[in-house]
């Protein structure tokens, strides 16, 4: 039995009590993915280990492809839903059709993504279902929202190379979005060897099988990983009123040259406000603001 002393890697999956760790540089004769347990000392310290964590291994057993996680490095970021550490980019995937693009739902996903403070990219899927004029319309509409949307089709392969390029400049990208928009299909198009399960054409999602809410990281290239996430269909907007505005890139952009006179400005006509009302999502912004206020009212009264 060959043993190698400690080595650094990334947690790419969790399975029950085991962590699957991919080594940065597997020494000769050592598999690059190892099934690991946690050193008891770590558990005693209350250290939790997440997918995405950078770890140091001990007691590597090359024959059994096993090791022990001895230490966890500090994380640069942490997402709670799904729980993933060290994410650098959140990719929001939305389909243009089947299911049809829904601006309110789109905004909810984008605001949730912006709330992480990480880089956000917008992916519009199933672009094979619309014509060139509609594509131009979607591009210009979403650039008005402050995004540079990437249109892709996993069915025809359009935009997949661009997606690969965008993801390769990100050390860890998490793809989120409603179920059925084609997230797994896009990852399969990028990495055909994955063969991720895809919903059947009736749109029914794997009935009868438990939808394990597990996350797994896939390597697109050395140093660029991607995670598919189970979709949630209606994310909440997770902020208080004074922080809502900065989650809209097209509003953020307006504050840059003309900051408002008051730091707590909510941008609805206050004196010295630097934000215009002339943008598509302004009404959505005002409505979301009202919703947040209604939510906070009972607790203040009671
Ligand atoms: N027309 C078309 N259908 C697609 C495309 N990508 C995925 N689909 C279909 O959309 C359904 C859901 O895909 P899936 O990848 O499971 O979505 P997920 O829930 O976001 O992972 C499946 O029936 C796919 O065949 C695409 O680019 N064009
Ligand atoms: Mg999927
Ligand atoms: Zn303002």
């Amino acid at each position: 039995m060959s043993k190698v002393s400690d080595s650094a890697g990334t947690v790419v999956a969790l399975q029950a009590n085991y962590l699957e760790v991919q080594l940065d540089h597997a020494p000769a004769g050592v598999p690059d993915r190892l099934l690991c347990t946690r050193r008891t000392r770590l558990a005693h310290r209350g250290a939790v280990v997440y997918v995405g964590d950078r770890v140091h291994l001990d007691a590597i057993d090359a024959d059994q492809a096993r090791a022990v996680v001895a230490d966890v490095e500090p994380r640069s970021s942490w997402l709670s839903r799904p729980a993933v550490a060290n994410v650098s980019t959140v990719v929001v995937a939305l389909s243009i059709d089947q299911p049809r693009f829904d601006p309110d739902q789109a905004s909810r996903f984008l605001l949730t993504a912006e709330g992480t403070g990480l880089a956000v990219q917008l992916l519009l899927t199933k672009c094979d279902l619309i014509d060139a004029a509609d594509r131009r319309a979607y591009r210009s509409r979403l650039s008005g929202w402050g995004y540079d949307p990437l249109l892709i089709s996993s069915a025809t392969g359009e935009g997949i190379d661009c997606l690969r390029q965008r993801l390769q400049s990100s050390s860890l990208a998490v793809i989120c979005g409603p179920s059925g928009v084609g997230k797994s299909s896009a990852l399969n198009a990028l990495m055909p060897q994955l063969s991720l399960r895809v919903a059947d054409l009736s749109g029914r999602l794997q009935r009868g099988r438990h939808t394990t809410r597990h996350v797994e990281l896939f390597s697109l290239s050395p140093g660029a990983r991607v995670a598919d996430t189970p979709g949630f269909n209606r994310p909440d907007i997770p902020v208080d009123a004074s922080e809502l505005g900065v989650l809209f890139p097209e509003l953020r952009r307006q504050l840059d040259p003309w900051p408002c006179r008051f730091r707590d400005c909510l941008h609805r006509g206050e004196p010295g406000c630097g934000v215009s009302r002339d943008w598509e999502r302004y009404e959505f912004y005002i409505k979301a603001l009202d919703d947040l206020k209604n939510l906070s009212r009972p607790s203040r009264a009671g």
Side-chain angles (χ1 to χ4, degrees), residues 54-67:
R54 298 281 307 150
V55 294
H56 293 272
L57 303 185
D58 243 346
I60 294 177
D61 179 336
D63 300 332
Q64 302 290 318
R66 299 264 189 151

Side-chain angles (χ1 to χ4, degrees), residues 251 255 258-262 265-275:
L251 189 160
L255 295 177
W258 303 110
C260 307
R261 185 185 306 160
F262 302 112
C265 186
L266 294 178
H267 322 301
R268 32 179 180 196
E270 291 91 331
C273 177
V275 173

Side-chain angles (χ1 to χ4, degrees), residues 127-140 151 158:
C127 74
D128 54 290
L129 299 174
I130 56 165
D131 64 18
D134 277 343
R135 290 176 197 204
R136 276 195 297 277
Y138 271 104
R139 272 214 186 84
S140 95
L151 275 65
E158 185 180 342

Side-chain angles (χ1 to χ4, degrees), residues 98 125-129 152-156 178-186 197-201 203 205-206 228:
Q98 296 179 17
T125 61
K126 310 197 187 186
C127 74
D128 54 290
L129 299 174
I152 66 158
S153 165
S154 305
T156 65
S179 51
V181 299
K183 299 180 295 297
S184 302
S185 301
R197 281 186 309 159
V198 161
D200 66 32
L201 282 174
L205 279 159
Q206 298 101 23
D228 188 10

Side-chain angles (χ1 to χ4, degrees), residues 154-167:
S154 305
T156 65
E158 185 180 342
I160 298 297
D161 284 337
C162 273
L163 176 60
R164 190 189 316 280
Q165 273 169 27
R166 285 198 187 187
L167 294 177

Side-chain angles (χ1 to χ4, degrees), residues 2 18-21 29-36 57 59-68:
S2 53
Y18 292 97
L19 307 158
E20 210 172 319
V21 173
V30 177
D32 76 331
R33 281 170 84 115
L34 302 168
L35 207 55
C36 301
L57 303 185
I60 294 177
D61 179 336
D63 300 332
Q64 302 290 318
R66 299 264 189 151
V68 174

Side-chain angles (χ1 to χ4, degrees), residues 198-254:
V198 161
D200 66 32
L201 282 174
S202 71
R204 227 185 261 161
L205 279 159
Q206 298 101 23
R207 282 255 215 95
R209 288 189 74 157
H210 295 290
T211 38
T212 47
R213 303 215 118 227
H214 88 285
V215 184
E216 181 170 358
L217 306 187
F218 303 110
S219 288
L220 196 58
S221 65
R225 289 192 172 87
V226 192
D228 188 10
T229 69
F232 30 86
N233 281 315
R234 198 170 191 281
D236 299 322
I237 299 172
V239 281
D240 62 76
S242 65
E243 284 158 16
L244 182 66
V246 297
L247 304 183
F248 291 77
E250 71 275 50
L251 189 160
R252 233 161 36 216
R253 228 163 31 191
Q254 297 185 52

